[in-house]
Amino acid sequence: MFLCFSVVAIAQRDDRKQKLERQKIRLQDEIELANKILLETRNTKKLSLSNVETVEQKLRLRQNLINTLDRETEMLSRESLKLQKEIDTLEAQVANLKEDYAEMIRQARKSSDNYSRLMFILSSRDFNQALRRLEYLKQYSEYRRRQVEEIKQKENDLSDKLVELNRQKIKKEVLKAQMEDERNKLIAERNEQQQAIASLSEKESEITKELTEKQVQAKKLENEIQRIIAAEIKKAKEAAVRRGIEDEAKRVGLIFGKDFTNRTTNRALNDLIDKKKAELKAANKPVAAKPSAPASSFSLTPEATKLAAGFAANKSLLPWPVERGLVVQGFGPYRHPIAKSVVMNNNGIDIATEKGSKARVAFDGEVSKVIRVPGGAITIIVSHGNYFTIYQNLAEVYVKSGDKVTAKQELGLVYTDPTEGKTILHFELWKETQMLDPQPWLAGK
């Protein structure tokens, strides 16, 4: 049981170390991406709000990296302390073994002065005693040999532990130096951020006016998205009603293509069903029982139901809508960092990415609509059963309405603002008419 517990504890410790290492690598990669994005925006020689948002995200990443390094250092300190205790124990064991062995050698020499091994055997009372004495000498010799091997093994273990302890000390010093470097960078970046905010605050009224205009535009686009989704829901409901009527027609014995077609209206088909039922009743013929169907606010075809179930089952596993990106603005309401009187509301998440990046679909589905705003960026709506993903701020699109798409398929080129140099994809997730926070649905990096 103790052995099993030790193995489990070691496995958990190694898993924590690997997790911290992966997290450190991810944070370093995202900081590098933030620096690259900032370099692209700064090349425009114009201080913009996107710079402030990107630096703010980089500050959070930098702080998370420092916290990760700190946890890694603490874990290393605990391991070093445990290792030192093991070294102390091994040193004591080696010392005791050597002392016991030395005492054994002294006793053996002392005994050899009185009589030899041969005399010890020959002086036996009888043959059986001689055999027992011979076996004793063999066991004594084997015991001494095992003690020598045990001392060597303990010394080898001790040497390995000392090497590992030295390696950990070096690694700990490297981590401390890296952590100090990251802290210095964080301080410098915070000072830079404060200066940028102070500079932009001088244009607060201008920014407020610009934000108000953007809010009006965003509301128009939101209304259009709601209208399209509502139309999709209505179409699905109408299709479900039609399927129900056609199923009823087939149940009473009407034949598609002969008694009715797709062009037969619902009212006309219901009249045909009533007429057929009357005929069956007059002929005293039974009608097949109507199957029960679960009620749903969004009636789906079997294919769409399967697609929606697959989408829901992949929560926290969906691929990111861009290959590399930083969430510079999260979901929900927030107070603007410059125009503090303005409360913004984000229906999705804003992902800053590199110039030339492609938007890609998060899951299998069908393109519901490509929205082109005159003089503005393009928006794509993709349906996944009763879930919808929205991809805003595209410069080019590679798909059209009605296209079937698969996860990670490229939808279009993300728009790069020529004035500010920023490349940001706005990504939304809806379940029917309800807006959801997309970030918990996306896979961890």
Side-chain angles (χ1 to χ4, degrees):
M1 288 177 64
F2 176 77
L3 180 61
C4 290
F5 178 78
S6 299
V7 170
V8 170
I10 291 169
Q12 289 176 342
R13 182 196 66 195
D14 290 345
D15 183 60
R16 286 195 299 270
K17 285 172 69 176
Q18 290 173 8
K19 187 177 179 181
L20 283 173
E21 190 64 30
R22 287 194 302 270
Q23 186 175 351
K24 182 174 71 174
I25 292 169
R26 176 182 62 79
L27 289 167
Q28 288 171 334
D29 179 66
E30 291 187 346
I31 289 171
E32 180 188 341
L33 176 60
N35 286 330
K36 188 171 182 180
I37 292 168
L38 284 169
L39 183 62
E40 289 176 354
T41 56
R42 281 172 182 162
N43 284 340
T44 63
K45 298 181 180 180
K46 178 182 177 181
L47 180 63
S48 67
L49 180 60
S50 65
N51 290 51
V52 173
E53 292 171 339
T54 304
V55 172
E56 192 63 38
Q57 176 64 5
K58 190 169 75 162
L59 290 173
R60 287 193 290 268
L61 291 170
R62 186 84 70 191
Q63 185 61 61
N64 288 339
L65 178 58
I66 291 170
N67 295 340
T68 302
L69 290 169
D70 188 47
R71 288 197 298 272
E72 197 173 359
T73 304
E74 285 179 7
M75 182 179 287
L76 209 55
S77 295
R78 288 195 298 270
E79 287 182 3
S80 297
L81 184 62
K82 183 181 176 183
L83 201 57
Q84 186 61 60
K85 288 180 180 178
E86 290 174 359
I87 288 170
D88 293 342
T89 303
L90 279 170
E91 285 177 340
Q93 289 175 349
V94 169
N96 289 335
L97 284 169
K98 285 183 175 180
E99 185 178 342
D100 290 346
Y101 187 74
E103 179 62 24
M104 190 187 301
I105 296 299
R106 284 195 296 272
Q107 290 296 331
R109 286 176 178 173
K110 185 178 178 182
S111 299
S112 64
D113 292 339
N114 297 329
Y115 49 85
S116 66
R117 287 189 174 193
L118 181 61
M119 291 301 299
F120 177 63
I121 295 170
L122 292 176
S123 63
S124 302
R125 290 191 306 271
D126 52 36
F127 182 72
N128 287 335
Q129 188 182 50
L131 286 177
R132 288 195 298 273
R133 287 184 175 185
L134 180 63
E135 182 63 25
Y136 165 76
L137 289 173
K138 285 181 180 179
Q139 290 178 357
Y140 184 75
S141 177
E142 177 64 20
Y143 175 67
R144 285 172 58 180
R145 185 186 66 78
R146 286 200 306 270
Q147 271 203 315
V148 171
E149 288 181 355
E150 188 175 1
I151 290 170
K152 287 181 179 178
Q153 183 61 47
K154 293 286 185 185
E155 286 180 333
N156 288 336
D157 291 345
L158 181 59
S159 177
D160 291 341
K161 296 286 185 185
L162 288 168
V163 169
E164 176 63 16
L165 181 62
N166 187 56
R167 187 189 67 80
Q168 287 190 355
K169 285 180 179 178
I170 294 170
K171 187 176 180 181
K172 189 175 177 181
E173 291 303 314
V174 170
L175 284 172
K176 283 183 176 179
Q178 188 179 356
M179 194 156 49
E180 185 64 26
D181 182 52
E182 294 297 333
R183 284 198 177 107
N184 291 333
K185 287 178 181 177
L186 183 64
I187 292 169
E189 287 166 354
R190 276 181 178 158
N191 291 335
E192 182 184 354
Q193 181 76 328
Q194 289 171 359
Q195 292 172 8
I197 290 173
S199 178
L200 284 171
S201 295
E202 296 174 1
K203 305 175 182 179
E204 184 173 349
S205 59
E206 180 184 333
I207 291 172
T208 302
K209 182 182 177 182
E210 183 182 338
L211 288 172
T212 304
E213 292 173 356
K214 285 184 177 180
Q215 282 180 315
V216 172
Q217 293 171 0
K219 187 62 180 175
K220 286 181 180 178
L221 186 55
E222 180 190 335
N223 291 338
E224 178 64 11
I225 291 169
Q226 286 179 331
R227 186 194 66 76
I228 291 168
I229 291 176
E232 288 283 331
I233 294 172
K234 182 182 178 183
K235 185 170 70 174
K237 285 182 176 180
E238 288 174 350
V241 170
R242 179 66 183 189
R243 286 197 309 272
I245 296 172
E246 288 188 0
D247 289 344
E248 177 73 359
K250 293 172 184 176
R251 190 173 64 85
V252 300
L254 295 174
I255 301 171
F256 180 81
K258 179 183 176 183
D259 299 315
F260 69 96
T261 66
N262 288 333
R263 288 180 291 181
T264 306
T265 64
N266 289 356
R267 177 179 291 183
L269 189 52
N270 278 323
D271 290 342
L272 288 172
I273 292 169
D274 292 341
K275 183 179 178 182
K276 187 67 176 179
K277 282 182 178 179
E279 290 174 0
L280 292 171
K281 187 176 181 181
N284 200 24
K285 291 182 178 180
V287 179
K290 186 176 182 179
S292 59
S296 173
S297 61
F298 190 104
S299 303
L300 301 172
T301 63
E303 181 186 358
T305 301
K306 184 179 179 181
L307 195 61
F311 189 94
N314 277 275
K315 184 174 182 178
S316 79
L317 300 173
L318 298 178
W320 280 65
V322 289
E323 190 172 352
R324 295 183 75 202
L326 298 174
V327 177
V328 292
Q329 188 55 60
F331 177 81
Y334 64 98
R335 192 168 294 280
H336 196 273
I338 308 299
K340 299 188 183 297
S341 60
V342 179
V343 176
M344 308 288 288
N345 187 56
N346 198 348
N347 295 336
I349 56 175
D350 295 332
I351 306 173
T353 185
E354 302 165 272
K355 184 179 180 180
S357 293
K358 309 293 193 303
R360 56 186 193 175
V361 69
F363 196 72
D364 298 352
E366 181 179 328
V367 178
S368 295
K369 191 75 173 177
V370 176
I371 306 172
R372 298 176 185 271
V373 179
I378 307 168
T379 298
I380 294 177
I381 302 175
V382 179
S383 65
H384 317 272
N386 61 338
Y387 289 89
F388 298 87
T389 49
I390 319 293
Y391 309 80
Q392 286 184 27
N393 204 39
L394 302 179
E396 299 174 9
V397 293
Y398 311 142
V399 293
K400 62 183 183 301
S401 298
D403 282 356
K404 300 286 186 180
V405 289
T406 55
K408 293 188 178 182
Q409 180 178 331
E410 291 183 352
L411 298 172
L413 177 70
V414 184
Y415 175 74
T416 299
D417 188 314
T419 306
E420 298 182 359
K422 64 180 180 181
T423 306
I424 294 179
L425 176 72
H426 179 73
F427 178 66
E428 296 181 11
L429 170 60
W430 295 53
K431 183 180 181 182
E432 301 180 21
T433 56
Q434 178 189 4
M435 287 180 287
L436 304 176
D437 182 356
Q439 205 159 350
W441 289 75
L442 299 176
K445 294 183 180 178

